[in-house]
Every structure is written in C-alpha cells, then in structure tokens.
Amino acid sequence: MTDPATPVIGAARPAGSDSGTAGLRRGTASAFVAPALLLIAVFLVFPALWLLWIGLTDLTVSGRTSVDVSVVGLDNYAKALDDPLFGNSLWITLLFVFGSAVIGQNCLGFALAWTLRAAGRRVRTLVESAVLLAWILPSSVVAVLWIAMLDRDEGTVNRLLDTPGYAWMIRYPLAVLIVFNIWRGTAFSMLLYSAAVSTVPPSQLESARLAGASGPQTLRDVVFPHLRGHVLTNTLLISLWTFNDFTPYLLTRGEPNHRSETLPIFLYRQGIDEGALGYGAAASVLMLLINLVLALFYLRLLRRRTA
C-alpha cells in the first residue's frame, strides 16, 4: 500500500505542462541556452560557412577579383590537390607530426613521468618546472631564443660545438623544427602520463619485482596495459595541435626552398602573402578534412580499446 500523502516518483506531469526535468519551462531553458548558441553561431558556424563559400570563389586581396568575385566551383580544390607545393607541405607536416608528436613528445613525456615518479621531491619539482617553463612561454619569445641559440655566427650551439658559421636552420630545417617542438610541447605529455602512471596498482608493480621481471618486462606486462587508453588520448591531442601549429613560421618561415613549409605556413603564404583568399580557403578546408580523418582514426582505436 502506498501512503496517499507520499508523492509518487515518476508520476505523470499534468496535461499541458512544458517544464523540463530541472523544473524549468522550455521557454526559460531556451533563454539560458540562447547566449551560448549565439556565440557558437557567430564564432564557429558563420566563419566555417564563410570559409566554405570563399573556397568556391576566386576572391583575392587585391586586383579585379577582389571586387568582381566569381564562383569557380571546385576548381580551387582541384588546383590544391594538383599543386606540388601543397603535396610537399602535407608530406612535411606529416613528418613533423610523426617525429615531434607521435614519437618525440610521447616517448620523452612518458620517460620523464616514469623516471620522476621515484625521484626526490626537489629533483621532481626542478625538472617539472623546467619542462613546464618551455610550454608556457609565448611562442614569439621561444622562437627568438632558438634563433639566437642556433645563430651561425654568435649562436650558443656553435660556440659549444666549436663550429662557427654552421647554419643549422638552413642545413637541417625540418630536424630543427622537430627538436624544437619536442622541447616545447613535452610538458603536456609528461603531465598526462604522470597522472596515468599513478593509477597503476603498486601491488602489481611489487609482484612483478618479486617475480624477477626486468624494467622493460614490467613496462610491457604491467604498466602499458593500464596506459593504452591514455596513450591514444595523448597522441590524438598532441597530433592535432602539432598538425595545426603555426610556430614553425617564426623560426624558418618555411625556408629554405619550402623544406620546412608545413601546411599552416603554406596556407598563410597563399592566403596572405600571395593574396589568393579563395585558393587559401579551399586548401584550409582540405586541411580541416585531414584533421578530421586523423581524429576519427584515433577515436576508432580508442573505442576498440574501451570495448
């Protein structure tokens, strides 16, 4: 028997009631959500639609096509796919992402996290502060520091190695960018893996030690099974960030001879330097699609791991 004075949970609402689960009417709830939807529409939806529209035109910064704009359809996309400079930039970007993010930041970030877990408090604080400092400094400041360090005449590296006049950013521009991005972006991976390593049960590590497992065996059989999801999440985030990073422009500007011209630099040169806004917008859409493919690939792997 149910006490008539006791309200029944889940009882049907009175007819004509439009209140939601939080007790707010739909109109009131919509009023709360409207500002957020407006911001999304203004700063996300409208720019995306505008970019798609520009990519279908021959719009330029100056000249006749800056005022007399014509719709060229998919010609800009076909031009980009057939452009050797676009293909070169895509290949360099993939090498940059693979070398500096997938391999460099992942491995160094985990190595630091695994090593510092057993270090003293002072040592851990010192190392973490140094790594975080490289991450939080403004890009322009970091670029100036690296340009000064690698200067062919008065650079710190050439002075230490006694190689005066050696132009590192001309001889090995992509390698410089990869090392630079590893140094600058490892902090995020280190923080993520530090939190992930702390979730590994100490009893399992102790059991592996008592069983005589070596360090690599412990990592393979005990630690990594707990970190696979974290590895995929970290790789997804740092890959997308690196793919869209514009900081390399501050170091090499894509030179020499387009050997360090990543896709963001290519888009800047086409859209701003060359003034081909329509072509640059179309190439931007292609870059966005590549980002989407990478994200879906990682998410699919993550879902398989979760399942």
Side-chain angles (χ1 to χ4, degrees), residues 2-302:
T2 303
D3 187 355
T6 304
V8 180
I9 299 176
R13 297 187 180 93
S17 174
D18 61 349
S19 60
T21 56
L24 296 175
R25 294 182 177 274
R26 290 190 178 91
T28 305
S30 300
F32 279 110
V33 177
L37 295 179
L38 181 61
L39 291 175
I40 293 175
V42 172
F43 294 104
L44 183 61
V45 178
F46 175 75
L49 296 177
W50 184 247
L51 181 68
L52 291 173
W53 165 250
I54 293 177
L56 300 175
T57 67
D58 59 353
L59 178 65
T60 57
V61 174
S62 60
R64 180 188 61 82
T65 52
S66 64
V67 292
D68 185 15
V69 182
S70 301
V71 177
V72 296
L74 300 178
D75 289 353
N76 286 327
Y77 295 93
K79 178 182 177 182
L81 294 175
D82 193 48
D83 190 347
L85 289 180
F86 179 83
N88 173 73
S89 298
L90 176 58
W91 174 245
I92 289 177
T93 304
L94 293 177
L95 291 177
F96 179 54
V97 172
F98 181 78
S100 65
V102 178
I103 300 299
Q105 292 182 27
N106 252 330
C107 294
L108 182 58
F110 175 78
L112 288 173
W114 182 253
T115 303
L116 291 177
R117 68 183 179 85
R121 181 178 179 181
R122 292 183 178 180
V123 175
R124 184 168 63 252
T125 301
L126 179 63
V127 174
E128 289 179 347
S129 300
V131 176
L132 285 172
L133 183 63
W135 191 36
I136 63 177
L137 282 175
S139 301
S140 56
V141 175
V142 174
V144 171
L145 292 176
W146 272 71
I147 291 174
M149 184 177 64
L150 297 175
D151 184 74
R152 63 164 59 187
D153 297 320
E154 302 294 333
T156 306
V157 174
N158 283 336
R159 285 182 174 272
L160 292 175
L161 299 179
D162 194 21
T163 54
Y166 198 86
W168 293 93
M169 289 192 290
I170 295 179
R171 292 176 177 267
Y172 309 104
L174 183 57
V176 168
L177 293 183
I178 290 175
V179 174
F180 163 79
N181 196 56
I182 294 174
W183 171 82
R184 183 168 180 259
T186 297
F188 178 82
S189 299
M190 180 191 70
L191 294 176
L192 188 146
Y193 286 134
S194 295
V197 166
S198 64
T199 63
V200 179
S203 59
Q204 295 185 10
L205 296 175
E206 182 64 20
S207 297
R209 187 185 68 83
L210 294 176
S214 63
Q217 289 175 334
T218 302
L219 292 176
R220 183 192 64 193
D221 299 329
V222 179
V223 178
F224 284 151
H226 291 277
L227 302 185
R228 287 176 183 172
H230 299 86
V231 171
L232 290 174
T233 301
N234 180 67
T235 305
L236 168 63
L237 295 175
I238 62 177
S239 295
L240 295 180
W241 291 339
T242 304
F243 196 94
N244 299 282
D245 190 13
F246 188 70
T247 307
Y249 180 83
L250 302 177
L251 268 73
T252 65
R253 297 180 180 270
E255 300 297 342
N257 196 26
H258 306 284
R259 288 168 54 197
S260 62
E261 188 178 71
T262 59
L263 271 178
I265 299 177
F266 173 81
L267 298 179
Y268 179 84
R269 282 184 161 182
Q270 295 299 321
I272 305 301
D273 291 348
E274 301 295 332
L277 294 178
Y279 178 61
S284 299
V285 174
L286 292 177
M287 180 177 174
L288 178 62
L289 293 177
I290 296 172
N291 275 282
L292 181 60
V293 171
L294 290 176
L296 291 177
F297 172 74
Y298 283 123
L299 289 176
R300 185 174 182 181
L301 292 178
L302 186 58

